[in-house]
């Protein structure tokens, strides 16, 4: 498997993929029981005329095209356009659609970080995540540890992510459901007055929209 | 008398647990296909996301510890499709046996 190294970003280093994860040779190992089930289910759905292979390939492309960059564009616009920000906080689904992002039937709610309040999102019951805007959730979001502890000791969880919030900052944790998903609107970093919308978007990380991180400093 | 606190295993909010494991992985093709199958089956009205969750929750805690995320998803997708009568258990079993005979890796086990 060819490894395509990207060195333009501090978050990517040698031996890691462009999304900052270690490569693993999933397609090279022995065929597993569950892989056989996936092939069988897919073939049966096609043979019985419920799906055609092109639909499956297209859906994978659609999902691959969704990334935190979409959310970052929404956040950067909210930072420079007060009217858009008001629309985002009123109805994040509609505001995202306005920017051309197809977020399907997802009911998306944006919660704003301020000097006094920090928001964190979790799904304690499963893995609900604003996937139509941000792409698939990181693995840690789906772990027992994050799901269990985020609602009980969010400050301790945030410290594990390198975020040590002052006691004066209130922490609000939002538990997602399949029908209601959240994204965090992080606070715009200090010293970014002269930056373009595109430059601002490059500061917005995935974790800053989950609440486990802050935007990068310019 | 039961010691059960009224929660099922998946209702994890507020339970004690260790440090958050930070390692992640890029999804493999078979995992992306399972994600796509779930979304498409939902769009076609074959079953709902609630059906997916119900099947995953019914697998129990043991499955959560033992199997990966998309392994649980394909099991749940399959369970819902069987229940909806999209194909039979026999058709599934026969096909999985055929696939095993095609080759030792995921790539080789693709049809044709």
């Amino acid at each position: 498997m060819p490894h395509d190294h990207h060195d333009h970003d501090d978050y990517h280093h040698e031996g890691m993929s462009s999304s900052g994860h270690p490569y693993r040779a999933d397609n090279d190992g022995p065929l597993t029981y569950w892989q056989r089930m996936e092939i069988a289910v897919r073939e049966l759905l096609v043979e019985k005329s419920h799906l055609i292979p092109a639909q499956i390939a297209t859906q994978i492309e659609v999902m691959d095209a969704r990334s935190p960059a979409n959310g970052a564009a929404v956040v950067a616009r909210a930072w420079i356009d007060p009217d858009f920000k008001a629309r985002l906080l009123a109805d994040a689904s509609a505001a995202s659609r306005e920017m051309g992002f197809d977020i399907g039937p997802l009911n998306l709610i944006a919660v704003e970080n301020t000097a006094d309040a920090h928001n964190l999102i979790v799904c304690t019951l499963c893995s609900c995540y604003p996937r139509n805007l941000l792409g698939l959730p990181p693995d840690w979001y789906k772990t027992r540890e994050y799901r269990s502890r985020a609602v009980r000791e969010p400050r301790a969880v945030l410290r594990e992510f390198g975020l040590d919030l002052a006691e004066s900052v209130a922490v609000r944790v939002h538990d997602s459901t399949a029908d209601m998903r959240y994204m965090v609107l992080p606070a715009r970093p200090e010293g970014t007055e002269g930056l373009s919308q595109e430059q601002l978007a490059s500061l917005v990380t995935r974790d800053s929209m989950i609440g486990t991180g802050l935007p990068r400093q310019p | 008398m039961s010691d059960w606190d009224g929660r099922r295993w998946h209702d994890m909010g507020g339970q004690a647990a260790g440090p958050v494991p930070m390692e992640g992985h890029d999804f493999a093709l078979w995992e992306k296909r399972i994600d796509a199958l779930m979304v498409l089956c939902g769009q076609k009205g074959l079953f709902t996301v609630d059906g997916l969750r119900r099947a995953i929750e019914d697998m129990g805690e043991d499955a959560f510890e033992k199997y990966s995320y998309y392994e649980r998803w394909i099991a749940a997708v399959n369970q819902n499709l069987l229940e909806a009568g999209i194909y039979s258990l026999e058709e599934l079993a026969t096909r999985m046996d055929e696939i095993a005979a095609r080759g030792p890796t995921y790539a080789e086990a693709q049809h044709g």
Side-chain angles (χ1 to χ4, degrees):
Chain A
M1 183 172 154
H3 291 184
D4 188 14
H5 294 297
H6 300 274
D7 297 318
H8 61 273
D9 188 324
D10 293 339
Y11 289 76
H12 305 159
H13 31 89
E14 195 64 18
M16 305 291 263
S17 75
S18 57
S19 62
H21 294 140
Y23 288 102
R24 68 174 195 185
D26 279 298
N27 294 333
D28 307 333
L31 182 66
T32 69
Y33 174 83
W34 303 105
Q35 288 173 342
R36 279 197 289 138
M37 185 178 281
E38 181 276 315
I39 299 169
V41 168
R42 175 161 44 89
E43 289 181 358
L44 288 167
L45 283 167
V46 169
E47 282 168 26
K48 292 174 183 290
S49 303
H50 293 288
L51 296 177
I52 56 173
Q55 284 176 306
I56 301 164
T58 300
Q59 174 58 31
I60 290 173
E61 283 170 18
V62 165
M63 207 60 232
D64 278 347
R66 291 175 176 146
S67 81
N70 296 2
V74 171
V75 167
R77 170 128 182 241
W79 282 347
I80 60 168
D81 180 345
D83 291 338
F84 179 77
K85 179 178 162 184
R87 294 199 294 282
L88 180 70
L89 293 173
D91 183 344
S93 301
S96 301
R97 285 191 198 106
E98 190 187 317
M99 288 190 67
F101 297 120
D102 169 25
I103 63 162
L106 203 78
N107 185 12
L108 186 62
I109 296 169
V111 287
E112 184 185 13
N113 283 354
T114 64
D116 306 319
H118 183 90
N119 295 280
L120 179 68
I121 63 172
V122 63
C123 175
T124 62
L125 292 176
C126 44
S127 56
C128 299
Y129 183 77
R131 56 175 12 229
N132 288 26
L133 187 63
L134 302 185
L136 296 172
D139 285 352
W140 55 256
Y141 188 83
K142 304 183 282 189
T143 60
R144 169 187 297 283
E145 290 79 6
Y146 186 73
R147 289 166 52 182
S148 298
R149 293 175 52 224
V151 290
R152 185 175 187 139
E153 43 176 2
R155 288 174 196 273
V157 170
L158 290 175
R159 278 194 293 273
E160 289 171 29
F161 283 87
L163 192 53
D164 199 359
L165 294 175
E167 283 298 320
S168 59
V169 177
V171 177
R172 297 187 185 132
V173 184
H174 305 269
D175 197 355
S176 315
T177 70
D179 304 316
M180 197 163 69
R181 308 192 186 202
Y182 296 90
M183 69 173 286
V184 174
L185 172 58
R188 180 170 172 168
E190 303 278 337
T192 56
E193 289 73 19
L195 298 189
S196 68
Q197 190 172 322
E198 204 171 58
Q199 288 169 325
L200 287 170
S202 72
L203 304 177
V204 182
T205 61
R206 177 196 67 202
D207 286 8
S208 73
M209 294 180 281
I210 302 174
T212 50
L214 297 178
R216 297 185 183 113
Q217 292 297 316
Chain B
M1 289 294 287
S2 161
D3 292 333
W4 188 44
D5 67 357
R7 292 169 171 240
R8 294 188 74 199
W9 68 270
H10 66 277
D11 190 0
M12 294 178 186
Q15 308 280 9
V20 178
M22 297 295 179
E23 66 272 18
H25 78 288
D26 286 330
F27 295 112
L29 179 58
W30 68 273
E31 294 176 299
K32 292 181 180 187
R33 280 176 166 158
I34 291 166
D35 197 272
L37 289 177
M38 173 57 211
V39 172
L40 292 168
C41 285
Q43 287 172 7
K44 301 269 167 194
L46 300 181
F47 63 95
T48 66
V49 69
D50 304 290
L52 180 86
R53 272 193 50 192
R54 187 259 309 159
I56 289 173
E57 289 161 13
D58 285 352
M59 283 174 216
E61 189 159 18
D62 184 50
F64 183 80
E65 304 296 346
K66 220 162 136 188
Y67 304 121
S68 74
Y69 187 75
Y70 281 109
E71 287 174 344
R72 298 192 300 275
W73 267 42
I74 191 58
V77 166
N78 175 58
Q79 180 66 29
N80 277 271
L81 291 173
L82 284 171
E83 288 173 13
I86 304 301
Y87 49 76
S88 70
L89 196 54
E90 188 179 358
E91 284 176 299
L92 174 78
T94 304
R95 183 57 55 97
M96 285 180 70
D97 283 348
E98 283 172 25
I99 291 164
R102 290 178 193 166
T105 67
Y106 182 73
E108 289 167 283
Q110 303 302 312
H111 201 50

